[in-house]
Amino acid sequence: MASSSGNSISNSSGSSLQHQNTGSEQGVNLHRLIDQRKRRRMESNRESARRSRMRKQKHLDDLVTQITELKNDNNQIQTSIGFTTQHYMNIEAENSVLRAQMMELSQRLDSLNQILDHIDSNGVNETDAIEFGSDCFNLPYYLNHQQQPIMASPDIFQY
């Protein structure tokens, strides 16, 4: 019996060693599995972070490109505004000159119409003939017939 009890002890010791080995192997396998999962997760996280950095860099590059394009567009618009403003100033100066000329021509026209009205209402007398010289009777506006007034108004000169 002693041998059987020795056997049983060794069997039970051997089986407990097997259980320990099996338990420790399972623990090792479990740790390996956990380590593999951690490594895969870390690699996945690193790859995800790398992709995220690449997306951010691409977005930043796109924004820098857009800024450059917008600055160029802004410069072109400012240049165009400068040319347009200069053109406007030139046209405004020309319009001022034309308005002054129109006023002067309108005053001359009024004066000529007054002279014609005076001639039509009074006719030509000797004082006028002496004042204008002997050729005044050969001029058409001194003829003794009804003169038509010069028809023009300042509105003609406006666009």
Side-chain angles (χ1 to χ4, degrees):
M1 283 228 156
S3 70
S4 81
S5 82
N7 268 345
S8 72
I9 291 175
S10 62
N11 281 342
S12 66
S13 315
S15 93
S16 74
L17 280 176
Q18 285 177 350
H19 285 300
Q20 285 177 351
N21 286 342
T22 307
S24 68
E25 284 178 18
Q26 286 176 350
V28 169
N29 287 339
L30 183 63
H31 285 300
R32 284 183 191 156
L33 184 63
I34 290 172
D35 286 345
Q36 284 177 347
R37 286 182 183 169
K38 280 183 182 179
R39 268 188 254 118
R40 278 186 285 191
R41 191 170 46 244
M42 286 174 52
E43 288 175 19
S44 175
N45 287 345
R46 284 182 186 139
E47 183 63 25
S48 177
R50 186 184 66 78
R51 286 191 309 265
S52 177
R53 286 190 301 271
M54 287 177 59
R55 279 193 308 270
K56 285 180 183 178
Q57 186 64 44
K58 183 181 181 326
H59 183 65
L60 182 63
D61 293 344
D62 291 345
L63 289 176
V64 168
T65 301
Q66 187 178 10
I67 287 171
T68 303
E69 289 172 359
L70 290 173
K71 282 182 178 180
N72 289 339
D73 290 348
N74 192 26
N75 287 338
Q76 288 176 350
I77 289 170
Q78 286 178 342
T79 302
S80 176
I81 287 173
F83 286 137
T84 303
T85 302
Q86 185 62 40
H87 186 65
Y88 170 78
M89 298 295 280
N90 291 341
I91 292 206
E92 191 62 36
E94 187 178 339
N95 279 345
S96 294
V97 169
L98 291 173
R99 282 187 198 106
Q101 288 175 347
M102 182 184 73
M103 293 300 291
E104 182 182 343
L105 290 173
S106 293
Q107 289 173 352
R108 285 183 181 181
L109 181 63
D110 289 342
S111 295
L112 289 173
N113 279 332
Q114 287 176 357
I115 291 170
L116 287 176
D117 288 343
H118 178 72
I119 290 173
D120 285 342
S121 64
N122 296 333
V124 178
N125 58 33
E126 291 178 21
T127 312
D128 291 334
I130 293 170
E131 184 178 328
F132 293 110
S134 61
D135 288 71
C136 69
F137 294 108
N138 293 332
L139 297 174
Y141 52 85
Y142 281 113
L143 295 177
N144 210 3
H145 61 77
Q146 194 68 3
Q147 294 289 325
Q148 296 293 323
I150 299 172
M151 301 302 285
S153 69
D155 296 334
I156 290 175
F157 299 109
Q158 294 180 358
Y159 300 2

